[in-house]
Amino acid sequence: MSDKQGTLWQDGPWEHRFVAANGARFHVVLAGPEAGELVVLLHGFPQFWWAWRAQITALAQAGYRVAAMDLRGFGGSDKPPTGHSTPVLTADVGGVVRSLGRERAVVVGHDFGGTLAWSMPVLEPRVTRAVAVLAAPHPVPLLRPDNHLSARARAFLTRIQVPWFPERALRRGDLVARVLTDASAPGRKVPAEELHAYQSVMRMPSVAHTSLEHLRWLVRSTPRPDGRRYLAAMASPVSVPVLSVQGGADRFTPPRAFAADAAHVHSPLRTAVVPGAGHLLPEEAPDAVSELLLEFLASLRD
């Protein structure tokens, strides 16, 4: 999968590019007219840019310039041994926007990418036009002890705090398959193509470790000064338009996990629930997600 025949470098109605930003190099998949409004897509765990393949095509065909990036530590982007905090990754996104020659972008994030999208208006306000978050509660209530995450999600976050064993399970065991299955709606069988893609890319050098470091930072930093600074900053209200999309059958982030989001948004907040979809919204409900994003993007022109 590390060669250019694998899913990481899959051909399609897009181009692959390396973009330098924030002291690192990022693999970014670009599509759509260069003059179109920039929409940046941020994937979740254990995925990479390919999770957005349906939305890349739909948004590009609608005239938007789409940039789906592999986050730091994932896929084809740099995988440094340290520096995997949420503020650093947010700065990565801002840097990619500027490196693409743009002043502002609409940022769309799923799962952990949604946490970054929530962070953009606060930590990178100059480049953030609006945000859409999929299956991602606001970070402040999310990182509280009473965050209302499901028992499945809590068990996963607890398990990955130990060293080495989770990495081994991602590379050689069935942890990728179990995460995808648990995150899916009840009864959904993860397509073999998806399972192969995410298992293969997770087996690339360093990815299993660096991808987990993002999630570990979220948990471990909460009592530390860096985590407290991040949460203090995120207490500032979001002042750009926000779309929040939930899966009606999400077994990781149930509806109660989103109950406090509105208190952190002092701008138009749109919410939507996709019936029958689980946590993996871009792939479980590609058409519904694309339609919701296109409606939200169109509303920004009003």
Side-chain angles (χ1 to χ4, degrees), residues 20-250:
N22 198 29
R25 189 179 73 156
F26 298 91
H27 175 221
V28 181
V29 171
L30 296 164
E34 296 215 15
E37 182 173 10
L38 182 62
V39 181
V40 178
L41 305 178
L42 310 177
H43 62 83
F45 179 93
Q47 299 159 309
F48 59 104
W49 74 265
W50 189 71
W52 295 106
R53 58 197 179 279
Q55 290 75 40
I56 293 171
T57 302
L59 298 183
Q61 288 177 346
Y64 295 96
R65 183 62 167 168
V66 185
M69 59 182 289
D70 286 342
L71 300 177
R72 176 185 295 251
F74 287 84
S77 293
D78 279 356
K79 306 163 188 68
T82 59
H84 297 285
S85 69
T86 300
V88 169
L89 270 70
T90 305
D92 291 345
V93 179
V96 166
V97 172
R98 288 185 286 269
S99 290
L100 291 174
R102 299 303 187 94
E103 294 183 359
R104 303 180 79 194
V106 178
V107 181
V108 181
H110 166 245
D111 183 71
F112 177 75
T115 300
L116 300 180
W118 275 118
S119 304
M120 288 294 294
V122 176
L123 303 185
E124 292 286 333
R126 292 185 178 180
V127 303
T128 309
R129 167 80 171 88
V131 298
V133 293
L134 280 60
H138 189 276
V140 172
L142 177 67
L143 296 176
R144 290 174 180 159
D146 59 344
N147 55 26
H148 300 299
L149 290 177
S150 70
R152 292 172 185 267
R154 289 174 180 267
F156 170 71
L157 290 173
T158 299
R159 175 178 180 177
I160 65 170
Q161 299 309 311
V162 300
W164 305 119
F165 291 104
E167 281 89 339
R168 179 174 294 182
L170 287 172
R171 290 193 306 267
R172 304 178 185 176
D174 65 348
L175 186 54
V176 171
R178 284 189 286 117
V179 170
L180 295 174
T181 299
D182 287 348
S184 297
R188 178 183 186 250
K189 181 175 175 59
V190 179
E193 181 186 31
E194 292 178 22
L195 181 58
H196 172 74
Y198 297 129
Q199 285 180 328
S200 298
V201 174
M202 192 58 67
R203 290 168 182 157
M204 292 174 61
S206 302
V207 171
H209 176 66
T210 52
S211 63
L212 286 173
E213 287 296 277
H214 306 310
L215 300 177
R216 286 168 172 159
W217 184 87
L218 282 174
V219 175
R220 296 175 182 176
S221 69
T222 50
R224 299 194 315 241
D226 56 339
R228 292 200 299 270
R229 285 193 297 270
Y230 169 67
L231 287 175
M234 289 306 299
S236 300
V238 174
S239 58
V240 300
V242 177
L243 168 68
S244 176
V245 183
Q246 307 169 31
D250 189 333

Side-chain angles (χ1 to χ4, degrees), residues 4-24:
K4 293 195 176 184
Q5 303 303 314
T7 304
L8 181 62
W9 303 100
Q10 182 171 305
D11 291 333
W14 48 65
E15 63 170 307
H16 296 267
R17 187 183 299 178
F18 283 110
V19 176
N22 198 29

